[in-house]
Amino acid sequence: GGCMLSLITSIDFTGSNGNPSSPQSLHYTGQGYVNQYETAIRAVGSILQHYDTDKMFPVYGFGAQFRNGQVSHCFPLNGNPQNVSFLII
């Protein structure tokens, strides 16, 4: 009945998730392995995408420490604030 939403996704990069190369980490992305973040984003996104009129789903991260030592609490996943990467569900 006219309900519209804008889906925006953010991924937690804080150290509490463990080393992403370890299968025990929430961020682990081994070949053919779907981690808990991917599962949750797909489950929620597959429903909410129908209420998002432009079908553009920006993806941000938070809590990451970059190679230069800087910590960011909100950043576009592709590093480009003028052209944020988009999630495909």
Side-chain angles (χ1 to χ4, degrees):
C3 181
M4 294 187 324
L5 301 171
S6 293
L7 177 60
I8 299 173
T9 303
S10 186
I11 299 172
D12 178 1
F13 283 90
T14 59
S16 63
N17 291 306
N19 185 335
S21 64
S22 166
Q24 284 73 41
S25 170
L26 294 174
H27 288 284
Y28 181 68
T29 56
Q31 185 174 4
Y33 181 80
V34 178
N35 67 37
Q36 293 178 36
Y37 276 105
E38 293 170 300
T39 301
I41 291 167
R42 286 181 182 165
V44 172
S46 67
I47 295 166
L48 295 181
Q49 71 176 335
H50 301 290
Y51 300 96
D52 190 315
T53 56
D54 68 1
K55 305 292 187 232
M56 303 292 280
F57 315 118
V59 182
Y60 290 88
F62 65 92
Q65 182 173 12
F66 299 110
R67 290 187 178 131
N68 65 4
Q70 177 186 0
V71 174
S72 180
H73 299 292
C74 184
F75 59 94
L77 218 54
N78 67 353
N80 185 349
Q82 282 72 41
N83 186 19
V84 178
S85 60
F86 293 97
L87 177 70
I88 299 173
I89 297 176

